Amino acid sequence: MVRLFFQKCGFPPKGKGFLLSVCLCGIFGIFLSSASGYAASYVALFPSSPEGSFFERTARLGALLESNNLTAQTEDTLPHLQGALLELDASRREELLKNLPGTVLIPSSRTFSPCTEKETPKASGTPEDSVPWHVLWARNAGLTEGISSYAWGTVIVAVMDTGVNPHTDFAEAALRWDLGYNSITGASGTADAVYDDQGHGTTVTGTIVGTQTGVTPQVEVIPVKCADAAGYSSTADLARSVDYLLGLLSGSLSNRHLICNFSFATSGSALYRDEEMEAFFISLFDRIADAGGLFFSAAGNESTNVNEYYVYPSRISSSIFLSVAGTTETGYLATAFSNYGTKTIDIAAPGNAILTTLRDGESLKAVNGTSFACPIAAAAAAALWAREQHLSNWQVRNVLLNAVDSPLWISREASPSASVAVISGGDMAAEKLRDTSFVASSKGTSPKALDLIDPASGGLGGGCSVGKTLPGILLLFPLLSFMLKRSGS
């Protein structure tokens, strides 16, 4: 077609002439795109307060869109985030940013990948003859010990993933199918709406509420499908999902503490800062913070130093966000896959050889990945919050980070023996656990996040201040054990 076009225009169709034709065709195409006002889809988060009733927020958003002549460009509204999905050409994009300074715009199609290792080891045992090591660990730590059904009813976990399928190990689970939501289709309220056509979401969910594979089988879980059959989630579907969940917090779940689990991340090979992505997550987390929620994401599986590469959302500092690395059964960083970083990864939890549920509804399999460390950490936060209901969202985060004198330190030195940080034994700070008022002077306690402390300036990274002992990796359950036992006594 290109040759035919330029033949009619008198250009030679072969050799260097053809290359010239292609170049001219590209220029011509750019001209046409500019002339026709080519539009792209964006997630827009406006600098408006999300306060007020649903009707007030909806009316305020509608007025803002109308006053800026954006109604015709609106694909969908996000009233609880005070945002929208917009179709904008370059001139309208610039006009919007000029007229509404502080507005965050990011292409709707930017994607996140599930943080699961492709190769999985054979399970060391079946549920009949072996308790999964991460479940045994949680039991030994007393993670759920003494928490009443009423207390469990004060917290809820949203699994934002590829969906969730019914499974035999979920027979006793409190899966809230009635609150399920599909951000891709808009369907809600049934198990069919969140059908898992990829499997990742069902596997993640098993680590939380599986009767035999979950660390907190008593907690309620909302299944949210925000990733497609290929396993990818987009900025648009993430924004729709968060908007839906914030809507629940302002309505039927107004008396609940919400924890969002997002076991996804961007590629671990990006060398340059992504300002659009940073602005998007900072704004998103600020709005989740205002609603009282917590957000957990996977650190990623490229064995990458996230201090040097730009992996999102791990790169974001927020008072209500934790990025989760994975550990092995022996308590070491899972160097075969887990990303790491002294300034960027907040916490670590079991992520290697995790026996959990598959989407066929019956099978179990051992899997690797920070995808599974993430929900295990989120579940531990749910248990802590159910036990200590008076804590705010940022206080729960700080208790996890600061309840020990040796917070997270993940690094790789030249020596193999120093390549993985380990637990510095017996570093529970009993005085901190007895008096959680310590969070008032701890890192990240302001409503808006402070920057992470760089180790070079005296900090240990991960939002923690310098401890009294050698740096160690924060393994969730042993570190919370004392708190849980103390609270139950």
Side-chain angles (χ1 to χ4, degrees):
M1 182 178 293
V2 172
R3 287 186 180 182
L4 179 61
F5 172 81
F6 283 102
Q7 280 177 345
K8 291 185 177 181
C9 293
F11 285 89
K14 298 181 180 179
K16 294 181 179 179
F18 177 65
L19 294 177
L20 176 62
S21 301
V22 172
C23 293
L24 290 173
C25 183
I27 295 172
F28 184 63
I30 293 172
F31 171 77
L32 285 178
S33 295
S34 176
S36 63
Y38 172 75
S41 180
Y42 291 90
V43 176
L45 300 178
F46 302 110
S48 301
S49 170
E51 297 176 354
S53 69
F54 171 74
F55 297 104
E56 290 170 335
R57 288 193 300 270
T58 302
R60 190 163 59 239
L61 178 59
L64 184 146
L65 293 169
E66 184 176 359
S67 63
N68 286 274
N69 299 315
L70 293 170
T71 305
Q73 283 76 39
T74 302
E75 300 175 9
D76 198 1
T77 58
L78 306 168
H80 302 285
L81 285 174
Q82 281 298 285
L85 300 183
L86 302 174
E87 283 280 344
L88 301 171
D89 59 26
S91 62
R92 291 290 283 131
R93 180 182 183 278
E94 294 306 315
E95 181 184 350
L96 171 60
L97 293 175
K98 180 181 179 180
N99 293 342
L100 290 171
T103 295
V104 172
L105 285 177
I106 189 169
S108 299
S109 58
R110 299 289 297 278
T111 58
F112 308 93
S113 303
C115 300
T116 308
E117 274 285 274
K118 293 180 180 179
E119 295 183 5
T120 55
K122 182 180 179 181
S124 58
T126 63
E128 289 75 26
D129 60 24
S130 176
V131 177
W133 75 271
H134 63 288
V135 175
L136 184 61
W137 196 359
R139 291 178 185 173
N140 290 341
L143 186 66
T144 63
E145 192 175 284
I147 301 177
S148 67
S149 58
Y150 169 81
W152 281 117
T154 64
V155 65
I156 196 163
V157 178
V159 176
M160 300 188 296
D161 217 290
T162 60
V164 180
N165 289 347
H167 195 283
T168 54
D169 203 31
F170 298 158
E172 300 177 22
L175 274 164
R176 294 297 302 271
W177 304 109
D178 60 313
L179 298 179
Y181 174 67
N182 187 326
S183 67
I184 300 171
T185 66
S188 63
T190 66
D192 288 340
V194 293
Y195 174 74
D196 186 358
D197 47 6
Q198 199 274 344
H200 187 261
T202 303
T203 305
V204 165
T205 302
T207 66
I208 303 174
V209 294
T211 302
Q212 296 168 307
T213 61
V215 295
T216 54
Q218 306 92 331
V219 73
E220 289 189 10
V221 166
I222 303 173
V224 176
K225 183 176 177 62
C226 67
D228 59 23
Y232 293 98
S233 183
S234 72
T235 45
D237 288 317
L238 176 57
R240 282 193 182 102
S241 297
V242 173
D243 184 73
Y244 171 78
L245 292 169
L246 295 190
L248 292 180
L249 279 186
S250 66
S252 61
L253 298 183
S254 60
N255 61 340
R256 298 291 190 100
H257 295 307
L258 173 69
I259 297 174
C260 301
N261 185 90
F262 187 62
S263 292
F264 292 76
T266 60
S267 169
S269 60
L271 289 170
Y272 301 101
R273 180 182 179 186
D274 187 334
E275 294 185 0
E276 284 184 334
M277 190 68 78
E278 290 187 4
F280 170 69
F281 273 112
I282 289 171
S283 185
L284 195 71
F285 290 162
D286 282 350
R287 293 159 206 235
I288 294 173
D290 290 339
L294 272 171
F295 194 101
F296 287 74
S297 83
N301 289 356
E302 296 89 3
S303 299
T304 290
N305 184 345
V306 188
N307 294 344
E308 300 174 359
Y309 292 85
Y310 288 83
V311 178
Y312 295 98
S314 289
R315 270 279 180 167
I316 306 302
S317 173
S318 170
S319 62
I320 56 90
F321 167 63
L322 292 108
S323 174
V324 187
T327 67
T328 66
E329 302 93 316
T330 56
Y332 287 81
L333 177 70
T335 55
F337 59 85
S338 183
N339 286 350
Y340 57 98
T342 54
K343 294 186 293 181
T344 48
I345 308 302
D346 298 298
I347 205 165
N352 185 73
I354 304 298
L355 188 69
T356 186
T357 49
L358 297 184
R359 77 181 189 98
D360 64 5
E362 296 180 355
S363 303
L364 302 175
K365 189 175 185 180
V367 294
N368 296 331
T370 57
S371 274
F372 313 109
C374 183
I376 290 173
L384 171 60
W385 220 346
R387 193 182 297 277
E388 305 285 349
Q389 299 156 35
H390 63 283
L391 295 178
S392 65
N393 48 3
W394 56 265
Q395 287 176 320
V396 171
R397 176 183 185 270
N398 276 16
V399 170
L400 295 179
L401 291 177
N402 296 289
V404 292
D405 282 332
S406 56
L408 177 66
W409 180 287
I410 298 178
S411 61
R412 289 191 173 190
E413 308 295 341
S415 169
S417 62
S419 64
V420 182
V422 298
I423 302 173
S424 297
D427 293 329
M428 298 297 294
E431 69 281 4
K432 292 181 179 180
L433 295 173
R434 283 194 296 268
D435 179 11
T436 55
S437 64
F438 81 89
V439 297
S441 59
S442 297
K443 186 65 181 173
T445 56
S446 64
K448 306 302 179 185
L450 305 175
D451 289 335
L452 298 176
I453 303 175
D454 192 308
S457 61
L460 291 180
C464 300
S465 58
V466 174
K468 299 177 182 178
T469 61
L470 294 174
I473 191 167
L474 181 57
L475 292 176
L476 221 45
F477 303 133
L479 302 182
L480 292 175
S481 176
F482 183 87
M483 171 175 281
L484 299 174
K485 291 179 180 177
R486 186 268 305 172
S487 299
S489 61

